[in-house]
Amino acid sequence: MSELSDYSGPFNPNVNYEHFSRDVLVKLLTLQADYLQKADGLWYVTVKNRVGDDVAFESDMRVWERAHIWELQQTRRLFKMEGHDIATLLKALQVSPLLRAWKCRYELRNPNHGIWTVLHCPSLAGLEKEGEGRERRICHVWETRHIRFVADFFNPKIEVKALKLPPRKSKDDICCQWEFKLEP
């Protein structure tokens, strides 16, 4: 069977992902990342509306910390990433299934210094559209804790600094920017 570029033909009882082209699988991965992002947002807002933002915020942090440990372990194993340095941290961000829905730029200035720039973040776009100002709490508190948590997974000695956080001056501005440093 040749690689399928879609599933518009007849039903095949034996079809599976291995039958589809690389292009379709990359699009599916992006779709799944977007779905996960939306499910998380809907979950958060549902909990917030039922029991308040504080409970939703803390619950979301606990869920994502547990989920990200699993994701980082699996990603590290799948891609055979062995290091405890800035390059390994940036590589893990590059291949994170969740970040597939984001647009990012990764810069390794030297083995001990890297910059991660988020150009498009579906979460921030949703928060800005919502208009309640929650991006300050999510981006300044949640993301700062979360990025620290991810860095610690690779090496607790990695310094993390937010260079740019919302609010943005315009929709064309970057969403956020993070600096990672490791003293030799």
Side-chain angles (χ1 to χ4, degrees):
M1 174 181 234
S2 62
E3 287 187 345
L4 298 172
S5 61
D6 60 42
Y7 197 16
S8 61
F11 172 75
N12 177 347
N14 299 313
V15 78
N16 59 49
Y17 292 131
E18 287 81 8
H19 292 109
F20 291 92
S21 70
R22 178 183 179 276
D23 186 52
V24 169
L25 295 175
V26 168
K27 287 176 184 176
L28 178 63
L29 180 61
T30 302
L31 176 70
Q32 288 300 109
D34 195 39
Y35 170 73
L36 183 58
Q37 206 60 64
K38 285 180 184 0
D40 176 57
L42 291 169
W43 177 91
Y44 189 105
V45 169
T46 300
V47 173
K48 178 178 85 77
N49 291 341
R50 290 197 64 184
V51 294
D53 194 46
D54 290 341
V55 172
F57 183 84
E58 276 307 313
S59 298
D60 203 47
M61 279 300 301
R62 288 187 184 149
V63 166
W64 279 109
E65 284 175 355
R66 291 181 71 191
H68 268 112
I69 283 291
W70 181 86
E71 179 205 345
L72 292 166
Q73 290 169 338
Q74 298 309 310
T75 300
R76 189 172 218 169
R77 185 175 8 265
L78 176 67
F79 289 96
K80 296 178 175 47
M81 294 186 282
E82 299 295 328
H84 301 281
D85 55 8
I86 304 297
T88 306
L89 169 61
L90 291 176
K91 289 192 293 186
L93 292 172
Q94 282 179 307
V95 298
S96 168
L98 179 64
L99 296 181
R100 181 73 192 155
W102 300 20
K103 288 185 178 65
C104 303
R105 186 173 56 232
Y106 307 89
E107 179 184 354
L108 185 62
R109 292 190 172 169
N110 67 54
N112 300 311
H113 185 204
I115 304 289
W116 177 41
T117 304
V118 178
L119 306 168
H120 170 73
C121 170
S123 298
L124 179 58
L127 291 167
E128 289 172 338
K129 185 177 179 181
E130 178 187 71
E132 293 181 15
R134 286 191 312 120
E135 60 271 15
R136 286 189 184 274
R137 185 175 198 189
I138 298 296
C139 300
H140 288 250
V141 179
W142 195 102
E143 284 298 336
T144 299
R145 266 176 62 182
H146 183 73
I147 299 300
R148 172 76 263 153
F149 177 82
V150 171
D152 284 348
F153 176 83
F154 290 97
N155 187 335
K157 294 179 182 177
I158 293 175
E159 296 174 28
V160 178
K161 181 180 178 185
L163 300 177
K164 169 84 172 81
L165 292 171
R168 300 188 290 179
K169 292 179 180 157
S170 81
K171 304 283 188 235
D172 297 325
D173 197 5
I174 64 171
C175 297
C176 61
Q177 188 172 59
W178 301 87
E179 179 178 59
F180 303 104
K181 286 187 175 179
L182 185 59
E183 291 301 319

